[in-house]
Structure formats: C-alpha cells, structure tokens
Amino acid sequence: MSFTLPSLSYEYDGLQPYIDAETMHIHHTKHHQGYVNNLNKAIEGTEFENMSIEDILKNVDKASPAIRNNGGGHYNHSLFWKLLSPNGTHPSGDALEGINKKWSSFDKFKEAFSQAAATRFGSGWAWLVVLEDGSFEICSTPNQDNPIMGKDICGVKGFPILGIDVWEHAYYLKYQNRRPEYIEAFFNVIDWNEVNSRLVQSTEYFK
Ligand code: MN3
C-alpha cells in the first residue's frame, strides 16, 4: 500500500485574503507531496508497509525518524486541509460546548490556543485535543509530531480535533515573521463542522 496526496475541496486562492494562493500551492504540491513521497520510501519493506497512517503514528516509538517525520507530516497536513474552508464557520455544537466547559468562553479559548501556537519555538503545531473522558485540552508539538503519537509528545494523550501548522512555510510569504497575524487570520477560515465531525470520530479512536 502506498499513500497519496489528498486533493483539496477548494481552490488554492480560496482562502484569500487570510492564506495566500502561492503559499497554499507550494504547501500542498511541494511540502505535503514531499512527506507523502518520503513516507512511501521509508515504509517500504518494513513492518509499517501495510499499516494505516493512524496506526503508524500510534506505533511511532518503533519507527525510524524518517517514518516519524514524514508520517506525521502526511497525517497533519491531511487533517489541516480539511479543517480549512473558504466559508469559515462560527464555532458550534459539541465542539463549542466542550470549549465553553473548559475555558468558559470562546474568546478565552482562542487566546489560549493562539498563545500555544505563537510560543511553539521553531517549527511545529498547536492542537485542540479531546481526551478519553471527553474533556478538551490545548497542547503543541515540535516538528511533525502529533498528539496521537503518545502522552509524552504533547503532555496529554488526546485525539486532535483542530490544529494549526506554525512552520514558517505555512505563512512566511504573506506574513514573514508575523506569526501572530497568521494565527489570527486562521480563525477566519476554520470549518467548525469539520471540528465537530472529528469530535464524533474521536469516540471511534478511543474504543
Ligand atoms: Mn506544513
């Protein structure tokens, strides 16, 4: 089995003015495609060859650095594209309920999430995760690591329902060193229906 680059459900210029077309084009066709190609090479002839991408990440402690980095890269970006939409929505449903329960308001959540994303040193991701008991946490990971890789990765073992890529390749053409502006813009293109749908998927993950 080999992994393939998922297509986007919107055009490269669909997220403008918040995320520019050139960044989206390079990010998808060069960066993500690179993770896919390198992952396929790295798993060839190994015990990971026929595993799902989730299973690869869950067993990452047994994997080579190439599998970890490129497997994480493939999973994270596949997730990221689906969380974005030209028609960004307002937080709603069970996701909003979980956010209010933990942070008492959406604004407080947004502040905490933005802080985690802004202060991740170097390249990485910030996440909103749901834990096995249904409660929410925010955490961040370096490189292409992901919360489903294990508890020691993110401080908690949770299933990511929202994530933001804070590698410079995700924002540098438009925002240069102004990562906080990119994080603020990101909130305009989140598809909260997808966040809610991942929340539903999380029950399957914890089974
Ligand atoms: Mn990226």
Side-chain angles (χ1 to χ4, degrees):
M1 187 179 81
S2 65
F3 294 103
T4 54
L5 184 70
S7 53
L8 305 186
S9 63
Y10 42 84
E11 302 296 326
Y12 292 124
D13 64 2
L15 306 175
Q16 296 192 136
Y18 305 108
I19 304 178
D20 63 285
E22 193 184 4
T23 294
M24 285 301 294
H25 184 246
I26 297 171
H27 202 172
H28 183 242
T29 64
K30 305 292 183 198
H31 292 279
H32 191 172
Q33 182 71 64
Y35 298 127
V36 169
N37 296 347
N38 291 329
L39 174 62
N40 286 334
K41 259 183 258 167
I43 57 174
E44 213 181 308
T46 73
E47 60 180 311
F48 296 94
E49 200 166 18
N50 295 308
M51 278 189 195
S52 71
I53 188 65
E54 267 192 14
D55 283 341
I56 291 176
L57 265 54
K58 283 184 198 169
N59 293 286
V60 85
D61 51 328
K62 291 178 245 153
S64 66
I67 294 176
R68 181 192 192 111
N69 292 332
N70 293 293
H74 178 44
Y75 182 90
N76 292 347
H77 287 84
S78 301
L79 162 57
F80 188 56
W81 309 136
K82 288 184 81 176
L83 286 164
L84 300 173
S85 165
N87 311 302
T89 58
H90 291 289
S92 62
D94 290 342
L96 182 59
E97 201 174 298
I99 283 170
N100 285 333
K101 203 168 169 189
K102 172 80 187 181
W103 291 279
S104 71
S105 74
F106 181 76
D107 284 348
K108 282 195 181 132
F109 156 74
K110 186 179 168 185
E111 197 180 308
F113 183 86
S114 300
Q115 173 79 1
T119 56
R120 161 50 53 193
F121 185 77
S123 299
W125 293 74
W127 305 102
L128 171 61
V129 299
V130 57
L131 309 189
E132 194 162 9
D133 66 3
S135 66
F136 287 11
E137 288 286 351
I138 288 168
C139 67
S140 80
T141 52
N143 306 315
Q144 295 295 354
D145 283 355
N146 183 289
I148 69 171
M149 288 179 177
K151 192 172 181 208
D152 50 330
I153 305 295
C154 209
V156 291
K157 181 140 194 287
F159 183 78
I161 57 172
L162 176 69
I164 180 171
D165 185 346
V166 294
W167 282 57
E168 283 189 343
H169 69 223
Y171 64 87
Y172 203 85
L173 292 179
K174 183 174 169 69
Y175 296 97
Q176 290 86 45
N177 61 322
R178 304 185 307 277
R179 188 193 287 185
E181 274 181 44
Y182 156 69
I183 297 165
E184 179 67 34
F186 165 77
F187 275 88
N188 293 290
V189 284
I190 298 174
D191 181 357
W192 286 94
N193 299 320
E194 180 63 21
V195 180
N196 274 307
S197 134
R198 286 196 62 87
L199 194 49
V200 173
Q201 288 168 44
S202 73
T203 56
E204 204 54 43
Y205 171 80
F206 286 116
K207 252 183 203 166

